[in-house]
Amino acid sequence: MIMKKLILLSLVAISTLSYSQKLTVTPSGLRDANDSEKTFVVINAEGKTSKQLYDNALKYINKNYKSPDDVIKGKTDGEYLKFITHVSNFLIVSNSGAKITIDADYTIELNFKDGKIKFEIIALDMYAQNGGYKVIFSGGAFDGYPIYNKKGDLKRPDTKTEIETYFNSQINSITEFLLGKSDKDNW
């Protein structure tokens, strides 16, 4: 059991080092962990043409979504792809001892050039299943469930970590697929 955990941690560390493009949660939203001015990350894809990357992105959507045609909201062959995702039970927020289940809807925009991909979350809505408040990046207690208060102090470190973990694993998953590293037919 301990060996399995060590192997899993090693794989996570290797994939994190291999694809060091990460998003971080800031008071102003998701930002590139290495450059907080950027709302996107650039994924290196040496040896791949923009058309190959675009085609692999379409394959990714076709393989991972029940209704691919419904989630694609914009595309330009070989250059650009925009798609939406709904996540039930995205995270749990503690509010005065109560556990609030949060769902999320977000839009990913991918731009392709030879050898690289621009990955950006252009819309993110995190809302309580019970129809109550939303999780917001910054604000006061009456505004929703803020991760940071109005002064920029971190108030929900667990929520911040969960959001970062989710989106960074999405970046890794998409990157592996686009680079052809996870789409092996071993049958």
Side-chain angles (χ1 to χ4, degrees):
M1 185 66 164
I2 293 174
M3 185 59 106
K4 284 183 181 180
K5 286 183 181 179
L6 288 174
I7 291 170
L8 181 62
L9 286 173
S10 297
L11 291 174
V12 169
I14 288 168
S15 70
T16 300
L17 290 173
S18 299
Y19 312 116
S20 61
Q21 298 79 13
K22 288 185 178 183
L23 291 172
T24 189
V25 172
T26 70
S28 57
L30 291 170
R31 300 283 190 240
D32 181 333
N34 297 318
D35 183 353
S36 63
E37 295 296 314
K38 293 181 181 174
T39 58
F40 60 89
V41 294
V42 175
I43 300 165
N44 292 318
E46 285 187 38
K48 299 283 185 181
T49 67
S50 60
K51 178 70 170 141
Q52 288 172 316
L53 294 167
Y54 173 83
D55 289 345
N56 283 348
L58 286 177
K59 287 178 191 174
Y60 176 85
I61 292 170
N62 282 312
K63 186 172 183 175
N64 290 290
Y65 290 82
K66 289 181 185 177
S67 301
D69 292 335
D70 293 337
V71 301
I72 295 173
K73 296 302 176 187
K75 62 183 177 177
T76 302
D77 191 38
E79 295 177 21
Y80 167 82
L81 187 60
K82 179 168 65 171
F83 59 100
I84 59 170
T85 302
H86 170 79
V87 182
S88 296
N89 305 315
F90 180 63
L91 55 92
I92 304 291
V93 173
S94 294
N95 187 42
S96 302
K99 303 288 185 191
I100 311 296
T101 303
I102 303 295
D103 288 351
D105 295 316
Y106 62 91
T107 304
I108 294 177
E109 191 173 87
L110 300 173
N111 289 280
F112 306 96
K113 290 186 178 182
D114 290 347
K116 58 186 172 179
I117 308 143
K118 179 182 169 191
F119 176 103
E120 186 171 13
I121 306 294
I122 60 168
L124 173 59
D125 187 23
M126 301 173 284
Y127 51 91
Q129 285 182 349
N130 65 8
Y133 285 129
K134 293 182 176 191
V135 173
I136 55 176
F137 291 106
S138 180
F142 296 110
D143 299 326
Y145 305 116
I147 299 168
Y148 291 88
N149 67 15
K150 291 180 181 179
K151 294 179 181 178
D153 298 325
L154 181 61
K155 292 299 180 186
R156 296 183 187 276
D158 292 344
T159 302
K160 177 184 185 303
T161 300
E162 284 184 61
I163 293 168
E164 290 171 348
T165 299
Y166 176 83
F167 284 112
N168 290 325
S169 70
Q170 289 300 104
I171 290 170
N172 283 339
S173 174
I174 289 172
T175 299
E176 285 184 5
F177 198 97
L178 295 183
L179 298 179
K181 295 183 179 181
S182 67
D183 191 27
K184 303 287 185 219
D185 286 327
N186 294 326
W187 49 277

